[in-house]
C-alpha cells in the first residue's frame, strides 16, 4: 500500500453504504456530503446532525509533570484545567506563529488528551515530543486508539440521552466525562464546531459503527441526519469559528488573529514563544493589526479565500473563508481587514471578485448565535 493512499476511518464502509460523496481531507478519505449540504446544514441548526470526525488527532500526555509540560509547550494555562474539563488553546512556534489550535481535556490528575486538527496532528505530536525533554511526562500518539463521532444541534441532548446513562444535564460546555454510549465505553465531551449545543464522543474504532447506528436509530424521530465536512464548514463559518490554514497560520500570532486572550503570560514558568508573543501583544496595543471581521455580500456572488477586500480603490484586507450562508440566505465571509475599516457598518467596503468590486457589509462576528 502506497504511503500516499488516503487513510480510512472505522466508519468508511458505512459512509459509502449511505451514498456519501467522499473527498481527500488531510490524507483521510472523508464524507463531504450525503445528499444536499444545505439540508444537512439546516438539520444541524434546527434538529440534529451526525458527523464522523475520526480524522482528528488525539495525543495523550501522562505523568507527574504532564501539566508542567503542557504549560511549557502550549500558550494556555493548562495546570488550572480541572479534571473532567476542557480548554481551547494553541501551540505556537518560538517566533509566536500558530502551529495549531487545540482542545485539551484533563482526563485525570496526571492525564491529558490533546486534540489537534487532522492536517497538523503529526506536527503537533512532533512538537510536543520535542518539548517533553526534561519533563517527567510521556507523550503518546493515540490517533489510532479513537474514532470520534459528533452529534450536534438542538435535539442532540435528547438523542444522546436515549443511548447513554451519563449525566448529560450536569455536563457543562467544554467538559468531558467517561460513560457508556450504546453499551460501549466513551469519553463524552460537550464540545463542537457548529455553533450549536452538541457532543463529541471518543470511542474505540471497533465500537464506532455500533455507536453511529444507535444514534441514527435514536435520532430518526427527531430528524437527525448524517452530515459531511461541507456543512461542518458552513456551520463553523456562520459561528465565526477559525479554521487552521484559513484564519490561523504560522505567519500569524494569536494576537494577529484577535485571539490573544488564549495566551496566558501570568502562568508559572517559561513557555515556547513567550518572548515573541509579548512583543506581539505590545505591538498589537500600539499599532492594531488587521482585524478579523465578518462580511455579508449585498449581491449573490460568493467571496472566496484569497480574494482581496477593497475600499476606495485600495486593498485593505483579504478573505480567509467564504461561502453561501444557508441561515442568512446570503454569501458571507471572514476576512482580515485594516483596523480603520473594521468597525461594523463601515461604508464603502467591497470584495474584488474577478476584477469587479462587489459591495459587502462589515459586521461583527459571529454571524449566527444560537438562542438559549
Amino acid at each position: 500500500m502506497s504511503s500516499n493512499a488516503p487513510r480510512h476511518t472505522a466508519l468508511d464502509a458505512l459512509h459509502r453504504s449511505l451514498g456519501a460523496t467522499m473527498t481527500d481531507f488531510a490524507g483521510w478519505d472523508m464524507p463531504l456530503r450525503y445528499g444536499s449540504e444545505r439540508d444537512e446544514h439546516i438539520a444541524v441548526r434546527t434538529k440534529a446532525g451526525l458527523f464522523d470526525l475520526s480524522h482528528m488527532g488525539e495525543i495523550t500526555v501522562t505523568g507527574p509533570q504532564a501539566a508542567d509540560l503542557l504549560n511549557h509547550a502550549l500558550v494556555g494555562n493548562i495546570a488550572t484545567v480541572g479534571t473532567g474539563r476542557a480548554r481551547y488553546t494553541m501551540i505556537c512556534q518560538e517566533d509566536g506563529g500558530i502551529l495549531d489550535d487545540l482542545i485539551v481535556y484533563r482526563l485525570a490528575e496526571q492525564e491529558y488528551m490533546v486534540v489537534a486538527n487532522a492536517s497538523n496532528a503529526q506536527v503537533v505530536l512532533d512538537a510536543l515530543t520535542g518539548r517533553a525533554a526534561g519533563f517527567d511526562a510521556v507523550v503518546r500518539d493515540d490517533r489510532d486508539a479513537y474514532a470520534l463521532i459528533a452529534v450536534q444541534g438542538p435535539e442532540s441532548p435528547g438523542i444522546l440521552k436515549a443511548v447513554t446513562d451519563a449525566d448529560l444535564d450536569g455536563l457543562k460546555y467544554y467538559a468531558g466525562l467517561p460513560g457508556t454510549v450504546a453499551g460501549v465505553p466513551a469519553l463524552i465531551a460537550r464540545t463542537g464546531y457548529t455553533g450549536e449545543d452538541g457532543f463529541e464522543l471518543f470511542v474505540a474504532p471497533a465500537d464506532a459503527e455500533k455507536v453511529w447506528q444507535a444514534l441514527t436509530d435514536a435520532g430518526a424521530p427527531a430528524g437527525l441526519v448524517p452530515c459531511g465536512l461541507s456543512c461542518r464548514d458552513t456551520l463553523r463559518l456562520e459561528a465565526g469559528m477559525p479554521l487552521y490554514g484559513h484564519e490561523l497560520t504560522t505567519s500569524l500570532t494569536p494576537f494577529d488573529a484577535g485571539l490573544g486572550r488564549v495566551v496566558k503570560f501570568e502562568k508559572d514558568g517559561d513557555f515556547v514563544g513567550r518572548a515573541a508573543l509579548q512583543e506581539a501583544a505590545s505591538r498589537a496595543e500600539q499599532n492594531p493589526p488587521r482585524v478579523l471581521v465578518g462580511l455579508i455580500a449585498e449581491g449573490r456572488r460568493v467571496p472566496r479565500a484569497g480574494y482581496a477586500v477593497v475600499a476606495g480603490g485600495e486593498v485593505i484586507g483579504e478573505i480567509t473563508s467564504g461561502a453561501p450562508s444557508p441561515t442568512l440566505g446570503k454569501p458571507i465571509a471572514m476576512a482580515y481587514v485594516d483596523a480603520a475599516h473594521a468597525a461594523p457598518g463601515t461604508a464603502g467596503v467591497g470584495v474584488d471578485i474577478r476584477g469587479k468590486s462587489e459591495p459587502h457589509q462589515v459586521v461583527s462576528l459571529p454571524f449566527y448565535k444560537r438562542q438559549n
Side-chain angles (χ1 to χ4, degrees):
M1 174 177 155
S2 147
S3 60
N4 295 331
R7 299 181 67 181
H8 298 278
T9 77
L11 294 165
D12 185 74
L14 196 147
H15 298 316
R16 291 168 197 279
S17 75
L18 292 171
T21 300
M22 306 296 285
T23 188
D24 177 62
F25 184 83
W28 290 81
D29 219 5
M30 298 298 293
L32 188 63
R33 71 182 76 79
Y34 297 85
S36 150
E37 52 207 47
R38 185 177 178 278
D39 290 350
E40 291 171 24
H41 179 112
I42 289 166
V44 176
R45 286 275 176 261
T46 59
K47 295 170 184 148
L50 193 57
F51 296 84
D52 179 8
L53 306 179
S54 302
H55 60 316
M56 300 295 279
E58 296 88 4
I59 301 159
T60 304
V61 181
T62 55
Q65 290 188 305
D68 298 332
L69 162 58
L70 290 170
N71 263 11
H72 164 71
L74 311 179
V75 300
N77 192 348
I78 307 306
T80 59
V81 178
T83 300
R85 297 308 303 265
R87 184 159 296 165
Y88 176 79
T89 187
M90 293 183 185
I91 183 166
C92 289
Q93 300 179 146
E94 201 66 70
D95 67 1
I98 302 166
L99 277 174
D100 202 13
D101 62 334
L102 311 164
I103 295 180
V104 179
Y105 296 89
R106 188 171 198 165
L107 304 181
E109 183 62 29
Q110 298 185 5
E111 183 181 5
Y112 295 82
M113 181 167 69
V114 177
V115 182
N117 285 296
S119 53
N120 295 330
Q122 190 63 48
V123 170
V124 174
L125 178 67
D126 292 345
L128 286 176
T129 303
R131 294 173 189 187
F135 289 94
D136 186 3
V138 176
V139 176
R140 186 174 73 229
D141 179 1
D142 268 349
R143 283 176 288 178
D144 292 337
Y146 294 103
L148 178 55
I149 295 170
V151 55
Q152 298 277 304
E155 299 288 344
S156 58
I159 294 167
L160 186 55
K161 274 179 190 170
V163 295
T164 184
D165 53 2
D167 174 21
L168 298 186
D169 294 332
L171 185 64
K172 297 185 174 75
Y173 186 54
Y174 264 69
L177 87 174
T180 59
V181 176
V184 304
L187 172 68
I188 303 166
R190 198 165 207 152
T191 45
Y193 196 50
T194 61
E196 298 298 337
D197 191 11
F199 303 87
E200 295 184 318
L201 310 171
F202 296 86
V203 300
D207 294 329
E209 226 171 285
K210 183 178 182 185
V211 171
W212 179 282
Q213 202 53 57
L215 288 165
T216 298
D217 296 344
L224 174 93
V225 300
C227 293
L229 293 182
S230 188
C231 83
R232 180 169 145 95
D233 192 52
T234 51
L235 289 159
R236 71 93 196 165
L237 177 56
E238 288 183 351
M241 294 175 167
L243 174 63
Y244 195 87
H246 289 255
E247 288 71 40
L248 309 174
T249 67
T250 50
S251 62
L252 296 172
T253 72
F255 294 94
D256 297 322
L259 291 164
R261 64 180 181 275
V262 306
V263 181
K264 303 300 182 191
F265 293 120
E266 71 278 8
K267 65 180 173 175
D268 293 337
D270 196 15
F271 63 91
V272 177
R274 180 195 272 273
L277 289 167
Q278 276 170 325
E279 274 177 37
S282 62
R283 205 165 51 236
E285 268 177 34
Q286 291 153 17
N287 182 17
R290 282 185 165 176
V291 179
L292 189 64
V293 300
L295 296 174
I296 301 178
E298 290 180 16
R300 306 305 308 167
R301 299 177 84 183
V302 179
R304 297 292 186 188
Y307 287 10
V309 183
V310 292
E314 301 287 319
V315 174
I316 56 148
E318 186 176 317
I319 301 289
T320 51
S321 296
S325 163
T327 305
L328 276 64
K330 296 175 179 176
I332 59 172
M334 288 199 276
Y336 283 109
V337 302
D338 294 344
H341 298 273
T346 300
V349 173
V351 176
D352 184 339
I353 302 182
R354 298 186 191 88
K356 183 171 185 280
S357 176
E358 299 279 351
H360 281 66
Q361 180 189 356
V362 180
V363 297
S364 56
L365 293 167
F367 299 97
Y368 166 85
K369 205 165 187 155
R370 67 187 163 102
Q371 306 301 309
N372 67 347

